[in-house]
Amino acid sequence: MLGKLRRLNQGVSKVALEESERLPSSERRRFLRSGLFTAGGAMVGGALAGIAPKALAATPYPPGIPPWTRTLGAGVVTDPYGVPSPFEKEVIRRNVPWLTADKVSSISFAPLQHLKGIITPNGLFFERHHAGRPEIDPQQHRLMIHGLVERPIILSMEDLQRFPSVSQINFIECPANGGMEWRGAQLNSLQFLHGMVSCAEWTGVRLSTLLQEVGINPEGKWLLAEGADGAAMTRSIPLEKALDDVIVAYAQNGEALRREQGYPIRLVVPGWEGNTHVKWLRRLEVGDKPWMQREETSKYTDLMPDGTAHGFTWVMEAKSVITLPCPEMPLPGKGIHQIEGLAWSGRGKVKAVDVSIDGGRNWQQAQLREPVMSKSLTRFSLEWKWDGNPALLQSRVIDETGYVQPTLAQLIEARGTNSIYHKNSIQTWQVNADGSVVNVQLS
């Protein structure tokens, strides 16, 4: 009887969907909302009239009663710090073992295919370490601000939290995000191709507030930020940016920073490449010129076709990617689907996102989902009726400065293929007739 009920549900579901597809868009929505068609895949009323009540009661679907409704659940503080459901065990960060020689100087990727909204949960925020994750006692941690300043200072965590706090939502993206794809399609995975970007609400103290406290000498033009990890990660930042929107953050999404995100304090440098957001921050030095450290000379520079290298290319240009469907999230069948994705720009707000289903020959404007904020992830979506034929899905973002996300050919024409950084070209997903999705590159 249970098998009969499942087959009936599937048959009714198919008929209902086919009927809805014959209707105009507005009528179809009313049909699906009317209560005649349910998420369980069965018509309410007549379609179930011939099924015995005992058989219905044996199923976990309404109007049956599932086993978890028949017993008491776990009590409060069973998990003093909340954890995801065990049914979400696949929603985790992952790494590519062969990508780096050792995990202490490596990357983990956020599962963009599973995330909703624009905020990345703290436990899923991508990781990038240069010498592993240090364990820092906040009671013993200090931030020194010195150099071309009038009043050098050393601050404890308690001192830092006495200053006025601010909160802002910003993305952080590693400049090597997608960098394996310059010379051809390499990985068939949204997570591994684009998962070095995440977004959070950051809380801390404006760097401008701290610099005002110490007083900057007239010749001060640059700032050196140094981390307390084993690599002593250091980056030079122009004072103009430091006085703009940079914060010294001690909280992420309402709680203390996670260890892998720089606990107890880090820089957040909105819109700029991830390695400038120095984690485990211990020292800020004001100087009159950039320091030309390892991570801004031999690394994190862009090698051009003529052999020269562009340095200090901090800004993460506008980028977008379709997250549904994607290789990890194939289409279950023909019919109405929502194409969904993420867009962002290091220069400000996302202004518009276009979507193509034919490899860029024709474009439709997607709907931006609120909130749309500066230097933050933005959600977009477009309703699509898939007829079962192969398709080439793309998205392109236009930011508030008018910058348009380039095609791969346009990016290579401007930059060549020697770099691994700042690859923000249009991503193409090939949808096959069976609903599977493959990473491809179009010439």
Side-chain angles (χ1 to χ4, degrees), residues 57-343:
T59 74
Y61 312 113
I65 298 177
W68 49 85
T69 307
R70 302 172 184 269
T71 184
L72 295 175
V76 297
V77 296
T78 299
D79 300 305
Y81 188 92
V83 296
S85 164
F87 296 100
E88 302 296 321
K89 63 183 181 181
E90 295 302 315
V91 184
I92 56 173
R93 294 178 294 215
R94 292 179 170 84
N95 76 315
V96 179
W98 51 260
L99 187 59
T100 56
D102 196 292
K103 287 184 178 181
V104 298
S105 181
S106 193
I107 306 146
S108 73
F109 301 82
L112 300 184
Q113 69 274 17
H114 294 299
L115 300 185
K116 308 299 180 184
I118 64 171
I119 299 297
T120 308
N122 291 348
L124 298 176
F125 207 97
F126 86 94
E127 301 169 281
R128 172 66 171 113
H129 306 326
H130 292 80
R133 183 195 71 199
E135 297 287 351
I136 297 176
D137 180 351
Q139 297 298 319
Q140 298 184 42
H141 189 71
R142 298 293 185 269
L143 172 63
M144 180 170 67
I145 307 176
H146 67 124
L148 297 179
V149 300
E150 297 172 3
R151 297 173 296 277
I153 193 172
I154 296 179
L155 299 170
S156 67
M157 287 301 298
E158 182 179 331
D159 296 331
L160 194 62
Q161 295 188 40
R162 290 184 180 183
F163 289 92
S165 68
V166 296
S167 295
Q168 56 195 45
I169 295 176
N170 296 121
F171 75 85
I172 298 180
E173 181 180 17
C174 177
N177 200 19
M180 291 175 285
E181 299 276 301
W182 278 98
R183 297 175 183 270
Q186 299 290 321
L187 296 169
N188 197 44
S189 163
L190 169 66
Q191 184 167 6
F192 293 142
L193 287 173
H194 301 284
M196 284 191 280
V197 63
S198 299
C199 188
E201 180 191 56
W202 307 98
T203 299
V205 181
R206 286 227 178 275
L207 182 51
S208 58
T209 300
L210 298 178
L211 294 176
Q212 183 180 16
E213 182 73 14
V214 298
I216 300 170
N217 292 344
E219 59 270 32
K221 303 298 181 185
W222 287 79
L223 190 74
L224 180 73
E226 180 183 273
D229 59 328
M233 177 70 182
T234 47
R235 282 304 308 260
S236 302
I237 298 172
L239 199 58
E240 181 181 7
K241 178 65 172 178
L243 294 172
D244 181 18
D245 54 0
V246 178
I247 67 172
V248 175
Y250 45 74
Q252 175 183 2
N253 293 334
E255 64 177 0
L257 293 172
R258 294 293 176 89
R259 294 173 297 175
E260 62 269 28
Q261 297 306 323
Y263 181 85
I265 53 174
R266 72 174 300 163
L267 279 189
V268 173
V269 188
W272 283 25
E273 57 187 18
N275 64 76
T276 63
H277 302 237
V278 175
K279 297 185 287 187
W280 312 293
L281 185 67
R282 68 179 295 270
R283 187 167 70 92
L284 294 168
E285 181 179 354
V286 177
D288 60 355
K289 57 183 179 294
W291 278 257
M292 307 304 289
Q293 296 282 354
R294 173 183 180 271
E295 306 298 342
E296 52 200 19
T297 52
S298 70
K299 301 292 185 291
Y300 299 106
T301 54
D302 302 301
L303 186 60
M304 306 302 287
D306 63 1
T308 62
H310 286 185
F312 301 123
T313 51
W314 301 291
V315 176
M316 300 305 297
E317 300 287 8
K319 187 175 181 180
S320 69
V321 64
I322 291 171
T323 59
L324 181 68
C326 68
E328 296 94 331
M329 293 292 201
L331 295 175
K334 294 188 293 184
I336 303 296
H337 298 276
Q338 289 292 321
I339 296 174
E340 298 182 1
L342 291 166

